[in-house]
Amino acid sequence: MKSIAFVTGYSLELPAISNRLLPIINEALDHKYHVIIYSPSQARIPNFDHLIEYRSLPRSINNSRSFYVRALNELYSSFILMKEVYNHNHDILFVGIPSIFLLFFSRAFPSLQILDVRDIAWEYIDDSNPIKYIIKRCFRFIGLKKLRNFDKIICTNPSEINYFRKRSRLHDSNIILLSNGIRNEQYTSISSLIQNKFSDVLNISYIGNISTAQSLDNFVLAAKCLPHVNFHIVGAGRDFSRITALIASLELSNCYTYGRIPWPEVLDIYTKTDILFAQLSHTFNTAVPSKLYEYLATGKFIIYSGSGEAKRLLTQFQNNLVITKPDQDTLVSAIQSVIDSGNYLTISNFNKNLIRKSFIRELNVKNAFPQILSS
């Protein structure tokens, strides 16, 4: 039996990681591959223990807000993981980033070696101080240099495709688009939710990772300005404690945090939500928050704060408003305009159908799999 190995620098318990990998793993299992996952933690994909071999480090997620602490921790984990990977023979090797150091510790491999890019992480480093300015350019240089170790590069959106076509030596046909999206099981449950029409209070929700990339201060401060609206923050991440402390310091009674909760509870939040909110810093202009596809599958109104590739994606859809200034006043004004217009009362079947046709992960993986594995 041929083997296919996946290397992830982040824990499988993170939804963005497991949602990306699971459809590819399922397709590999359907093609009778022996699947091995190399991971920096002991987390597992539920219901797959008997089908997957895990080779993990006995470590937990490091959620430090310090860039340098996270970098040193990831540097060590990546070195150990990649050393272990190259001690074994595999027919196909998938190396996933945004874990930059997995790429840095990559080397030439006798079989098919594929780089799965979820984020061009070195481009997201804040270079506003001299040390990080140097680090960003060093990381970019090393990262681009290491691309020569790979036979193929998989990207999640057109901006990433264009980035690597300009900078790698690979033929265009070996730089492959495999869009993020939503798994079929999730789409089925989320697209069939019954709209909540019985609440006297309007609810706006942020659902996703809570990190410096999202910088949810404006969302919390908007809650202070709109006491007649309930604000919900669902998810976890390295900025969760600070955001929770900010809510407490403002003594807000209309802003709720939940942490990372089971999927049935996430569906409950979606059901009672009237407006969905997402945000990415302008530094992340080649990225698309994977939760956007989930949001769009509900058909509900979305306010997105950001620019770049995510803004471009939303031009294909209805029932959304994009703001480019990530400040409190702009967000408050946007929320108020959506409330005054009554646009939040509309459920877009167009959005649901477009997600079903173009952004179901399993279907996209099935279509791309022959190209990914071709010689």
Side-chain angles (χ1 to χ4, degrees):
M1 179 182 287
K2 289 186 175 182
S3 67
I4 182 168
F6 297 87
V7 193
T8 172
Y10 296 145
S11 174
L12 294 168
E13 69 188 87
L14 296 174
I17 301 300
S18 58
N19 285 334
R20 176 71 173 174
L21 285 180
L22 188 53
I24 305 174
I25 290 169
N26 263 325
E27 192 66 20
L29 291 170
D30 286 347
H31 283 75
K32 309 302 180 184
Y33 280 93
H34 174 56
V35 173
I36 304 106
I37 297 180
Y38 294 85
S39 166
S41 78
Q42 299 291 322
R44 299 288 187 262
I45 297 175
N47 306 318
F48 275 80
D49 275 359
H50 64 295
L51 298 172
I52 297 172
E53 179 183 346
Y54 293 92
R55 295 172 183 170
S56 309
L57 301 180
R59 298 169 66 84
S60 57
I61 299 174
N62 187 306
N63 272 329
S64 171
R65 297 192 75 245
S66 167
F67 168 81
Y68 302 103
V69 171
R70 294 198 315 273
L72 288 172
N73 182 75
E74 193 176 322
L75 179 74
Y76 173 77
S77 295
S78 298
F79 172 74
I80 299 298
L81 274 177
M82 294 305 282
K83 182 180 178 182
E84 176 66 16
V85 168
Y86 290 124
N87 282 336
H88 300 273
N89 294 320
H90 302 292
D91 296 288
I92 302 169
L93 178 60
F94 269 77
V95 178
I97 61 173
S99 182
I100 301 176
F101 297 113
L102 293 182
L103 175 60
F104 289 1
F105 290 121
S106 70
R107 59 178 189 244
F109 190 65
S111 301
L112 183 63
Q113 185 167 215
I114 300 166
L115 183 66
D116 183 26
V117 178
R118 193 171 61 84
D119 284 312
I120 310 171
W122 54 82
E123 295 296 347
Y124 303 159
I125 297 172
D126 176 17
D127 58 2
S128 57
N129 70 57
I131 295 175
K132 287 187 178 179
Y133 179 91
I134 295 169
I135 289 173
K136 179 173 183 174
R137 278 144 188 84
C138 288
F139 280 12
R140 179 190 289 152
F141 176 80
I142 297 169
L144 294 176
K145 200 83 170 174
K146 286 288 186 174
L147 294 180
R148 67 180 61 179
N149 293 329
F150 294 88
D151 303 291
K152 303 200 176 189
I153 299 173
I154 303 173
C155 302
T156 65
N157 63 62
S159 290
E160 293 173 352
I161 289 280
N162 292 335
Y163 181 94
F164 287 106
R165 282 182 175 171
K166 290 177 182 177
R167 293 167 175 83
S168 82
R169 298 178 180 178
L170 291 176
H171 189 274
D172 285 358
S173 63
N174 288 324
I175 301 176
I176 302 164
L177 177 63
L178 180 57
S179 173
N180 275 329
I182 180 171
R183 288 194 284 120
N184 189 56
E185 180 183 9
Q186 292 174 318
Y187 174 82
T188 300
S189 56
I190 206 170
S191 63
S192 58
L193 292 174
I194 298 172
Q195 186 177 7
N196 180 21
K197 298 181 179 179
F198 304 104
S199 176
D200 294 329
V201 181
L202 188 137
N203 293 277
I204 178 168
S205 301
Y206 171 84
I207 302 170
N209 193 37
I210 301 169
S211 187
T212 51
Q214 289 77 33
S215 189
L216 293 176
D217 300 63
N218 60 337
F219 189 70
V220 174
L221 294 171
K224 182 179 180 181
C225 298
L226 298 167
H228 58 290
V229 177
N230 283 338
F231 288 69
H232 306 273
I233 300 175
V234 179
R238 65 180 66 102
D239 212 28
F240 180 77
S241 296
R242 188 187 67 82
I243 290 296
T244 303
L246 176 61
I247 294 168
S249 70
L250 295 172
E251 299 181 340
L252 297 177
S253 60
N254 65 323
C255 191
Y256 308 91
T257 59
Y258 299 82
R260 188 171 289 123
I261 57 178
W263 179 244
E265 294 178 33
V266 174
L267 291 176
D268 290 341
I269 298 292
Y270 274 123
T271 297
K272 72 179 179 182
T273 295
D274 300 290
I275 302 170
L276 290 158
F277 175 72
Q279 178 166 267
L280 267 185
S281 161
H282 291 292
T283 307
F284 297 77
N285 64 349
T286 61
V288 177
S290 54
K291 282 292 177 181
L292 265 186
Y293 301 99
E294 222 171 80
Y295 283 14
L296 289 162
T298 69
K300 296 193 175 189
F301 198 93
I302 299 167
I303 296 176
Y304 179 72
S305 173
S307 59
E309 189 61 33
K311 181 180 178 181
R312 185 204 64 79
L313 173 73
L314 287 171
T315 62
Q316 302 175 50
F317 292 87
Q318 303 172 345
N319 225 27
N320 66 80
L321 172 65
V322 176
I323 56 177
T324 55
K325 293 182 179 179
D327 61 83
Q328 167 192 343
D329 291 341
T330 302
L331 179 56
V332 169
S333 177
I335 295 170
Q336 196 61 61
S337 71
V338 174
I339 294 172
D340 292 343
S341 68
N343 286 339
Y344 70 92
L345 296 170
T346 300
I347 297 296
S348 173
N349 288 319
F350 174 87
N351 288 359
K352 292 183 183 184
N353 290 332
L354 185 53
I355 289 291
R356 178 177 54 80
K357 291 176 182 176
S358 301
F359 297 101
I360 298 298
R361 289 183 186 267
E362 290 88 345
L363 181 59
N364 289 342
V365 167
K366 187 176 290 293
N367 291 335
F369 208 70
Q371 185 184 3
I372 292 170
L373 300 191
S374 64
S375 301

